[in-house]
Amino acid sequence: MPGDLKDGRIVIVGASLTGLRAAEALREEGFTGSLTVVGDEPHPPYDRPPLSKQVLLGQATADTTELPMRRDPEADWRLGVRATGVDLLAKRVLLEDGESLPYDRLLIATGTRARPWPDPEEGALDGVLTLRTREDGAELAERLAAAPERVLVIGAGFTGSEIASACRERGLEVTVAERGPAPLVGALGGTLSKLAAVMHRNHGVDLRTGVTVTALHGDRNGSFTGAQLSDGSRVDADVCVVALGAIRNVEWLADSGLAAGPRGIACDAGCRAFTMYGIVTDDVFVAGDVSRFPHPLFGYQMLSLEHWGNAVEQAEVAAHNMVNPGPLRRPHLAIPTFWSTQFGLNIKSVGVPTYSDYVVIAQGSLEARRLAMVYGYQGRVTAAVTVDMAKSLDYYRHLIETAAPFPPPPGAADRAIAADVPIPSDVPDPSGLSHGPTVALTGYLPDRRLTVVQPAR
């Protein structure tokens, strides 16, 4: 069939932020054909970041997080129905109710789910929760509002840290157990993780690092009562939140022939999915948390991102490429961005902090708890993280996009960059953490510099 598609049938699997923004973009691109969006949850697309922030603080309820539509995508919404497979030859999506949906183009945007506690019996105890869905957010908020004597959070990544922050803001006692040496170390490296540990403890968090939870305990009624730790200690608590990272929703594609695995579905820079033999498809596209794509600024490694901004930007690129011929297609070259609010601090990042060998504090200081840290890899800038200094982020984004040398030159927004000596970024092996980084990288590492020029839209 021709490369452009303004009419015909498009199916989006994943009624998420990515799915919604892709559906809207398809209509904006002039697609007039039939558009079907399949989602396993019964709700229209909703926003997940507020679930670990405003919802847990009682500032909003989980049922008010529905995403606003920028325009009506005039789609057939199949909500509460799980997709069970894809027949690439027949070009049909298989649903759990026995129906199959024909497509001319397919977008897979199934995202991730919370990693459960590995022991199902212990994980089923009343009071053992995860935080990913709207229902999860509502239940956890209700539990926190009931003022439990102590909350145990397993995992000190961004989600676990935000939950701990919300508990302390509510005046609740909270213990955080982290297998790694400090909170956020998997995402931000060793230096900033030390600041995160200080913030946890300064705000009254009982932070336990370098330990694992070996067992969850319950009473005769099946209610959670506490946990055993690997150092021999026990934590008594009423609520346990398992924050062990995410699992990409790819199992339904096991027999599809697509290159789908634990790190996501591999695709090219234009969001076209690869088959298991490394051949790019022309009618199956991938976007959002479930995708795994190459980025030229990061050594052409395959990036798997769990970022809100990436979900939106990649959805728009995928939608554009689904309905335009080859010469008009564009690559997904957006620089990853991420933000978090915890313990009164605003943390924002640009680039890929885990793709680094050295860091330098370019502005501010750890002592002031206001700073800009720049990350470098093999002599060029690859990322920056700001703490309560977000106005400088655009400057560092430009350095990343232009493959600027590391350490960075003077010229930040509010003052000359400090001449601190670079130190190792201390990015740990993910296997030593109880949660994954928000960016996972795998692939070839060519020693090459380039400047990315964003194509005209």
Side-chain angles (χ1 to χ4, degrees), residues 91-112:
K91 300 180 74 167
R92 301 185 79 90
V93 175
L94 313 179
L95 305 181
E96 65 179 345
D97 61 7
E99 187 180 359
S100 66
L101 302 174
Y103 66 83
D104 296 304
R105 297 278 192 274
L106 167 64
L107 176 63
I108 299 173
T110 45
T112 64

